[in-house]
Amino acid sequence: MKTILYNRYTITSWLLALCSLFLMNSCTISYKFNGASINYDIIKTISIDNFPNRAVYQWGPMESMFNNALSDKYVNQTKLQQVQRGGDLQLAGEITGYDQFNKSISSDGYSSMVQLKMTVNVRFTNNKNHDEDFERQFSATRDFDASQSLDSVQEELVTQMINEIVEAIFNAAVANW
């Protein structure tokens, strides 16, 4: 009688463990956070103006890099249709600053670190809810060793700053957390 109970207990334990394992594998929770909180029943389109580079210091590719990154962000992370004019959401603005500053001085009196800063002015209009409209400056900075030339690090640093600014613009415009 003891062996029968022992076998039932063992079989029951194994079945329970197997069922638990099956349930854990089949019941997964999936979260998808792309940052957007858009009511697609109301908001269907977005128009993104070209952001011209009006900074005193210019780097040729920066304007197109920024405009492409901003447009790609909305294409990849929302279901909004991009239109030339009159979108339910509208983004406009300009690159207003692109500067480099000496950040620290070494013991020999020369610059040891340089800070690169990019600033973008953004005007956001929500034509379905004007309470969400804003005009604001977004900035990002990156540091690099003064022993490196700006030409050798510029593309990588500008790309990083653009990604940071585009993310901040996206969050301010459509991520109402």
Side-chain angles (χ1 to χ4, degrees):
M1 180 86 169
K2 256 185 173 179
T3 50
I4 294 174
L5 284 175
Y6 177 74
N7 285 339
R8 278 189 189 166
Y9 176 74
T10 304
I11 291 171
T12 305
S13 295
W14 277 102
L15 285 174
L16 185 59
L18 189 60
C19 287
S20 297
L21 184 62
F22 176 73
L23 286 174
M24 285 192 304
N25 284 335
S26 64
C27 296
T28 58
I29 299 172
S30 175
Y31 295 102
K32 181 178 179 187
F33 291 108
N34 64 6
S37 59
I38 300 169
N39 182 347
Y40 291 104
D41 294 331
I42 299 171
I43 308 289
K44 298 185 184 309
T45 61
I46 186 168
S47 54
I48 301 173
D49 291 353
N50 186 51
F51 280 61
N53 187 351
R54 295 208 173 109
V56 173
Y57 179 71
Q58 298 275 320
W59 183 57
M62 186 168 57
E63 181 179 328
S64 63
M65 289 169 64
F66 178 81
N67 286 308
N68 290 336
L70 186 61
S71 179
D72 289 349
K73 183 73 168 178
Y74 284 88
V75 166
N76 294 330
Q77 294 198 1
T78 70
K79 296 187 291 183
L80 297 173
Q81 178 186 0
Q82 287 196 20
V83 296
Q84 291 286 30
R85 290 187 180 82
D88 297 329
L89 303 179
Q90 294 178 324
L91 283 169
E94 52 278 329
I95 300 168
T96 58
Y98 181 63
D99 302 295
Q100 59 180 334
F101 307 95
N102 290 329
K103 186 170 181 182
S104 62
I105 306 296
S106 65
S107 61
D108 61 5
Y110 292 102
S111 175
S112 61
M113 288 297 283
V114 178
Q115 184 175 73
L116 193 60
K117 182 177 182 180
M118 180 179 175
T119 305
V120 178
N121 186 58
V122 176
R123 290 175 298 281
F124 172 74
T125 306
N126 182 335
N127 288 314
K128 301 295 183 176
N129 182 3
H130 287 289
D131 291 337
E132 295 179 358
D133 295 357
F134 65 80
E135 181 168 358
R136 156 176 351 162
Q137 300 270 330
F138 294 88
S139 295
T141 60
R142 291 294 181 275
D143 299 337
F144 65 97
D145 193 291
S147 65
Q148 298 175 295
S149 71
L150 177 59
D151 288 339
S152 68
V153 297
Q154 188 164 227
E155 184 172 355
E156 178 184 345
L157 298 180
V158 168
T159 299
Q160 292 172 6
M161 291 187 298
I162 285 172
N163 290 339
E164 182 179 325
I165 291 170
V166 165
E167 184 71 29
I169 293 168
F170 182 84
N171 287 337
V174 298
N176 301 321
W177 292 12

